[in-house]
Each structure stands twice: as C-alpha cells, then as structure tokens.
C-alpha cells in the first residue's frame, strides 16, 4: 500500500470499509453489498492520474475509484474528492464524481451507474435507469436468496455505522460536483480534471502542443519543462497521460519520472512506476 498511499494515511472512512470487509470475511460479500471491490495496492492503468490514490474497482472494464490529491496539495484523504477512472473510455477516462468518500458511498448505494456512464440529461438518466430495472427484473439470471440477504445485510451495516449524508438528487449532485471542480481549476487539461495549482502573478500558462499518434519532440519537451511554471508542468503531466502510454516510450517516461522527482512529486513518480 505504501507506493499507492505515499505520504497519506488511510482515512477513517476507508479504514471502516476495510474493517467491514474483514468482518464479513469475504471480498465477494463486500462486492455484493457495495458493487465494488477494495483495491488498495497496485490497481492502476496507464491513464490513471499519478495523483490519484486508488481504493476500489467495479470488477469490469478496468473501471476504478480513487482519491484525487491534486499533486499532494490535499491535506487529508477524508476530504479528498473522489474520481472514477474508466480506462477504456480513451477520450474522457476520468471524472470527479463526489466531494468525498462518505458522499460517494451514499450515491453508490443507489446510483453508482452515474459514476461511469454519461447521460445527456436527468430525464435521460431516469429513463435509462427505469429500463435497466425492468430488464433486470425480467432477466433469467436473478440473484439467489442468499445473495439478496448478503446485499441487504451489508447495506444495512453501512447505513447503521457510517453516518452517510443525505443527498436528495444523485444526478444533480454528480453534475454539481463537476461544475464546482471547474470553478476551482486554474489551468484546463485535456482529461477534464484541470490543475488547481495557481500561477504566480508574473507567470503565464502556454500549453505544450501534443498530438495523438505522434510522439512529442523530446528536445522541445525538455526545454518546455525547464522554463514552464510549476502549474504548467502539472498540466503537462495530465495531458501526457491522456495522450500516451508513458511506459511504452522509455525516453519520454524517464523525462516525466525525473521531472516529477526534481519537483518533489516523489509519490506521483512512484505511482507511475508501479
């Protein structure tokens, strides 16, 4: 877990989830109740942001959840925003889905599909959700009585012991979380997360030009890194992970790792090396 969590300690709410899984004694029972598995060590994809600490995955299509630390600027993970990474969605693989873990758990109980699906409107989401419910009810593959009991028990334990906040409208909540994030972004990035690190008064951001299916000019990239503001270099890291599988380009990968270490981003560099 050390390379995943870095300088951060396991937050209280996550520790209680770990304890819940230990009490259940079965990772599958945990999944039946919460629709995700705990993943605390090396569950990462090439486009998992280096400043995301992964804590769970849904067991399909590589979709996973994590704490966004904003390159170590978050004070503690209990208040860190939660992101969903859909690695097979190459254009928009990352989105912020909750303000913190407790609010994530509340929405996850009933509306987890909001985390990894895109809906054009609330009406479209409700229509789709109703259709899914009907299809599930008519499916020949129904959960067994034991599976139903396990799910009810796990969810009851969660509600009784975690003091989850009330959220009136999960669809609007997720939309509002995304809008709030954009208001805090100082530099936009191609993955939609952006960078919250502010530019200094005398600094100006100019993005480094990147093109899919075309490797960057490494000499120009190094010159950019040597002169760009700190916040601009953070934005560059986000864009590079969206456009390239860094581990497949040894020279580019080394430049990124060396730059992160030189900037004091040793936790982020370590996660990229997992």
């Amino acid at each position: 877990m050390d390379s995943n969590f870095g300088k951060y300690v396991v937050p209280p709410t996550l520790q209680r989830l770990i304890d819940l899984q230990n009490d259940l004694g079965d990772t599958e029972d945990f999944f039946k109740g919460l629709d995700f598995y705990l993943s605390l060590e090396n569950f990462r994809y090439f486009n998992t942001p280096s400043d995301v600490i992964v804590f769970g995955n849904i067991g399909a299509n590589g979709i996973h959840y994590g704490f966004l630390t904003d390159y170590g600027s978050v004070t503690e993970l209990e208040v860190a925003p939660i992101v969903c990474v859909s690695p097979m969605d190459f254009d928009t693989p990352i989105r912020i889905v909750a303000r913190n873990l407790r609010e994530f758990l509340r929405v996850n109980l009933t509306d987890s599909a909001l985390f990894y699906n895109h809906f054009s409107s609330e009406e479209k989401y409700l229509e789709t959700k109703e259709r899914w419910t009907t299809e599930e009810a008519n499916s020949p593959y129904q959960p067994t009585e034991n599976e139903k009991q396990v799910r009810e028990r796990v969810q009851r334990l969660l509600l009784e012991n975690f003091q989850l906040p009330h959220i009136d409208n999960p669809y609007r909540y997720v939309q509002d979380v995304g809008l709030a994030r954009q208001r805090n972004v100082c530099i936009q990035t191609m993955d939609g997360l952006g960078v919250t690190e502010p530019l200094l008064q005398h600094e100006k951001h100019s993005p480094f030009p990147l093109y899919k299916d075309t490797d960057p000019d490494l000499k120009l990239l190094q010159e950019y890194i040597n002169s760009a503001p700190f916040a601009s270099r953070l934005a560059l890291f986000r864009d590079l992970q969206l456009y390239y599988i860094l581990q497949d380009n040894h020279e580019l990968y080394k430049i990124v790792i060396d730059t992160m270490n030189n900037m004091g981003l040793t936790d982020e560099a370590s996660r990229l090396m997992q």
Side-chain angles (χ1 to χ4, degrees), residues 113-131:
L114 286 169
F115 298 151
Y116 44 81
N117 290 284
H118 298 276
F119 303 95
S120 57
S121 66
E122 183 177 1
E123 181 181 17
K124 186 66 175 177
Y125 171 63
L126 293 175
E127 289 176 358
T128 304
K129 186 178 179 181
E130 183 177 358
R131 174 169 56 80

Side-chain angles (χ1 to χ4, degrees), residues 236-273:
L236 174 66
F237 297 148
R238 292 215 189 285
D239 289 343
L240 285 172
Q241 275 201 263
L242 183 68
Y243 276 86
Y244 309 107
I245 302 176
L246 296 178
Q247 290 82 347
D248 288 351
N249 187 322
H250 178 73
E251 291 183 86
L252 175 60
Y253 178 64
K254 186 177 186 305
I255 288 174
V256 170
I257 295 297
D258 289 347
T259 302
M260 284 183 167
N261 283 321
N262 290 337
M263 293 170 64
L265 303 175
T266 54
D267 287 348
E268 289 73 15
S270 178
R271 293 187 197 109
L272 284 183
M273 296 169 67

Side-chain angles (χ1 to χ4, degrees), residues 150-185:
V150 168
R151 182 173 181 83
E152 290 172 0
R153 177 185 172 221
V154 174
Q155 293 193 350
R156 183 176 67 253
L157 289 171
L158 190 74
L159 292 171
E160 289 175 352
N161 298 299
F162 281 71
Q163 299 180 330
L164 302 181
H166 180 71
I167 294 176
D168 287 323
N169 188 312
Y171 177 86
R172 293 178 192 170
Y173 168 83
V174 173
Q175 298 301 309
D176 289 345
V177 167
L179 292 172
R181 171 67 182 188
Q182 292 308 308
R183 289 194 291 270
N184 291 326
V185 164

Side-chain angles (χ1 to χ4, degrees), residues 3 10 17 25 31 39 42 49 66 77 79 85 99 105-106 133 145 193 204 214-216 221 242 245 270:
S3 59
V10 175
L17 285 176
F31 177 81
S39 301
N42 297 319
L77 297 183
V79 298
V85 182
R99 276 186 286 265
L105 291 172
R106 167 58 73 182
T133 301
E145 284 302 314
L193 278 184
K204 182 179 180 180
T214 303
D215 288 343
L221 180 67
L242 183 68
I245 302 176
S270 178

Side-chain angles (χ1 to χ4, degrees), residues 51-110:
D51 58 339
V52 165
I53 297 173
V54 177
F55 67 82
N57 77 88
I58 73 166
N61 299 320
I63 295 170
H64 52 287
Y65 304 123
F67 302 98
L68 178 65
T69 71
D70 278 315
Y71 293 102
S73 65
V74 168
T75 55
E76 55 182 307
L77 297 183
E78 189 70 19
V79 298
I82 305 302
V83 299
C84 176
V85 182
S86 301
M88 300 300 107
D89 184 355
F90 299 110
D91 292 327
T92 54
I94 306 138
R95 64 186 304 213
I96 290 187
V97 295
R99 276 186 286 265
N100 54 59
L101 183 55
R102 290 175 66 243
E103 293 183 8
F104 165 87
L105 291 172
R106 167 58 73 182
V107 175
N108 183 70
L109 280 176
T110 56

